[in-house]
Structures are given as structure tokens and as C-alpha cells.
Amino acid sequence: NRSSFGKNCVSLALNKKSIFFLDIDNPETSTNVTFGEKYGMIVDYQWFGEGYILIGWSSGHLMVISARAKEIGQEIAVSKAYSDGLSNIAISIRTNKLACCNENVYV
């Protein structure tokens, strides 16, 4: 649900180091959220809930940030899922579950 930032918001990972948010209806509010080097590169990210984004990092970390307009980019939670990297993430809205993997290991 991207309505927390804007009804017509798009996002993309830039250079696997930051996430850029563009509100099509209000481009002046566009913003770029950067992250510390300790997480490595963005492997994947997915929107979920009422304005939240889950980010999977090459360092093996999972991070939840807010995409709500007044708290855009605010870190909500971080967890180390794997010590040697992360390959992919998936969220099931219907079951309220998260899956992540590294090489043939699923959590």
C-alpha cells in the first residue's frame, strides 16, 4: 500500500545503495533515502502493510523502514538473517509471513 507516501508513488533502488521515492502527483516531494555501508548492497525490497518497506541486504540483514510521508526512511527494525549474505525475500500479505533465502537455505 503506497498511499502513505502518495497514491501514485513509485520507488526504485539506486546503485543498490539507496531507495528513491517519486510521488507522481507531487514530484516536489520526491526523496532519496540512503543507508550505511555496513549493510552492503540492496538485494531486494518489498512494500507491505500501511506504508512500510522490507529491505534485504547483501550482508544478510533484513530491515524495515517507514515509507510514511512524515517518517520516510525511518528505521523500524533490523535483524541479521544470515551471516554470509542474502539471496531473496518474499512477503505474503495474505498469511502475514516473510520468507528469505541464501543459496538453498530458507528461513
Side-chain angles (χ1 to χ4, degrees):
N1 182 337
R2 293 176 176 84
S3 62
S4 295
F5 186 76
K7 289 184 181 178
N8 292 312
C9 177
V10 295
S11 62
L12 64 121
L14 297 175
N15 295 324
K16 298 184 179 185
K17 297 284 186 185
S18 65
I19 297 180
F20 180 74
F21 297 90
L22 173 65
D23 187 337
I24 303 294
D25 296 328
N26 194 5
E28 309 82 52
T29 63
S30 299
T31 189
N32 189 39
V33 177
T34 58
F35 304 92
E37 294 290 323
K38 71 178 182 177
Y39 298 116
M41 296 183 295
I42 296 172
V43 173
D44 195 6
Y45 75 96
Q46 297 200 4
W47 288 77
F48 72 97
E50 295 296 321
Y52 296 99
I53 295 176
L54 173 70
I55 306 169
W57 295 93
S58 62
S59 64
H61 285 88
L62 294 170
M63 177 188 291
V64 175
I65 64 168
S66 176
R68 295 177 179 194
K70 295 191 184 221
E71 51 190 39
I72 189 95
Q74 181 179 341
E75 187 179 298
I76 306 299
V78 176
S79 178
K80 181 89 169 175
Y82 296 98
S83 60
D84 59 346
L86 185 72
S87 299
N88 206 343
I89 60 172
I91 297 174
S92 170
I93 303 300
R94 187 176 62 84
T95 62
N96 202 28
K97 303 269 184 195
L98 157 71
C100 58
C101 64
N102 175 359
E103 298 202 8
N104 294 315
V105 179
Y106 298 90
V107 174

